[in-house]
Amino acid sequence: MGETSSDRGADRRTRVTVLVALAANLVIAVAKAVGGLLAASPALLSEAAHSVADSLNEIFLLAALRRSRRPADRRHPFGYGKERFFWALLAAVGIFVMGGCFSFFQGLEALRHGAEEKFSGYVAGLIVLGVALLAEGASLLRALYQVRRQGGGRTGLRDPALRTVVAEDGTAVLGVSLAIAGMALHMVTGQVAWEASASLAIGMLLVLVAYRLGRDARDQLIGEAADPELSDRIRDLLAAQPEIDSVEELFTMKMGLDSTLVVARIDLVPGLDSERVEEDAVRIKRHIARTVPEVDQIFLDVTDRPAGEACESPAATGERGGA
């Protein structure tokens, strides 16, 4: 199945969302780093590392958008759709290593050695965090708007690139809020433990988000089945065909954002003319591909051959959807 104008439009919108997040994170990372150094603030430095990690991840996601839409070739006959999941996995690793681990380090160092209190710098740091909260909030609203435009809920978050941006921006808003609380309590009480705890909390938050994103990407890379609703729809469409007596087994696997592999073991009705098997199989596969655009590759395996047919039925061969 070729790339449709709807697919290209969704990719363009996702690319804009990723670019908005990238621009926001680059500016915010610099501001947080400068503010953190001036204030000697572990929480603010943790947030700077968080923004740097997010910026790198946005570059990964832009690569995913560009590379995953390449057409199938001889070395990759099923296309490059899974590149989207691979780059999403790298983004999860980036969040874990650059964001979570550095935040833990900053928090533990603050607890062990304390932090030099520069309250004038802290005021500047709080201002930086306030601006960052507005910028991260605007980026999150943009991402949520696209999710709603693409169907909302699980449907709108099917794209791992968009899902990663939403997770990053949501985590960033919560992380900045924790950093503000930690810095403010440090200023009021003079106890660095508040800010160190905020840094550790940011680290824990990033690790949890990275784990969830990484787990989703792993499942999709190793071969995740299509949603149960889609599988049931395909099974019903096959069972409704007059040439098919029963659907013995149905296997599905996501090959990309809008690409699904379908393998069905079917039993044909008795008395079907063997010369029509291939023609009927092609018609069935084209009907499924037209009715369910997500289905890209369809393979039918006939388990009950018509009388007199000595070799494997042509219906067991595969066909690209829409061919």
Side-chain angles (χ1 to χ4, degrees):
M1 181 177 65
E3 183 181 0
T4 66
S5 58
S6 177
D7 296 334
R8 290 191 295 270
D11 272 6
R12 281 194 297 269
R13 291 191 294 272
T14 300
R15 187 175 292 108
V16 170
T17 299
V18 174
L19 287 172
V20 168
L22 175 59
N25 280 316
L26 285 174
V27 174
I28 293 169
V30 174
K32 288 177 180 177
V34 173
L37 292 173
L38 290 175
S41 165
L44 192 49
L45 289 174
S46 296
E47 270 301 298
H50 180 186
S51 294
V52 170
D54 286 352
S55 298
L56 181 61
N57 292 339
E58 258 88 61
I59 296 175
F60 288 158
L61 299 180
L62 289 173
L65 292 172
R66 181 177 61 86
R67 296 176 63 85
S68 65
R69 290 298 185 183
R70 289 181 295 170
D73 54 35
R74 182 174 297 180
R75 292 190 61 188
H76 299 86
F78 292 101
Y80 290 81
K82 286 196 174 185
E83 285 236 29
R84 218 152 180 133
F85 311 140
F86 169 74
W87 291 102
L89 179 61
L90 289 187
V93 173
I95 293 173
F96 177 83
V97 175
M98 297 184 62
C101 293
F102 185 80
S103 296
F104 277 124
F105 171 77
Q106 285 293 320
L108 292 174
E109 283 295 298
L111 286 175
R112 289 176 57 192
H113 305 297
E116 183 181 354
E117 298 180 23
K118 300 178 180 179
F119 289 107
S120 60
Y122 268 43
V123 172
L126 287 172
I127 294 174
V128 169
L129 286 174
V131 174
L133 185 61
L134 293 176
E136 299 284 13
S139 180
L140 177 61
L141 289 175
R142 161 71 199 189
L144 292 176
Y145 169 75
Q146 185 179 341
V147 170
R148 182 178 179 183
R149 187 173 180 180
Q150 293 184 189
R154 291 179 59 86
T155 301
L157 290 174
R158 288 186 311 117
D159 187 344
L162 182 57
R163 185 166 62 245
T164 301
V165 172
V166 171
E168 286 179 350
D169 288 344
T171 305
V173 169
L174 185 54
V176 169
S177 300
L178 288 171
I180 290 174
M183 289 183 69
L185 288 170
H186 184 189
M187 290 178 65
V188 171
T189 65
Q191 299 296 319
V192 73
W194 289 108
E195 197 167 347
S197 298
S199 186
L200 292 173
I202 292 169
M204 179 62 70
L205 178 64
L206 292 174
V207 167
L208 290 175
V209 170
Y211 169 76
R212 180 62 184 269
L213 291 174
R215 186 185 65 179
D216 290 345
R218 178 207 63 187
D219 290 344
Q220 292 166 327
L221 278 173
I222 64 178
E224 186 178 37
D227 296 333
E229 296 83 1
L230 179 60
S231 296
D232 291 342
R233 185 182 179 193
I234 295 170
R235 181 182 291 273
D236 291 342
L237 286 170
L238 287 170
Q241 303 305 307
E243 299 85 359
I244 296 178
D245 188 40
S246 64
V247 180
E248 301 298 324
E249 291 183 283
L250 179 69
F251 304 97
T252 63
M253 183 169 63
K254 294 179 181 178
M255 303 301 295
L257 180 60
D258 298 301
S259 176
T260 302
L261 171 69
V262 173
V263 179
R265 186 168 292 125
I266 59 175
D267 187 6
L268 298 178
V269 296
L272 187 66
D273 186 354
S274 61
E275 295 182 356
R276 291 182 49 197
V277 170
E278 182 174 8
E279 178 183 341
D280 291 336
V282 171
R283 183 195 63 77
I284 292 170
K285 288 183 281 189
R286 288 179 174 173
H287 172 70
I288 299 296
R290 285 194 302 267
T291 307
V292 187
E294 297 94 331
V295 174
D296 186 41
Q297 302 277 352
I298 307 171
F299 296 84
L300 299 180
D301 178 26
V302 177
T303 59
D304 187 13
R305 299 175 187 142
E309 187 177 357
C311 61
E312 182 181 6
S313 165
T317 60
E319 174 177 296
R320 291 188 63 86

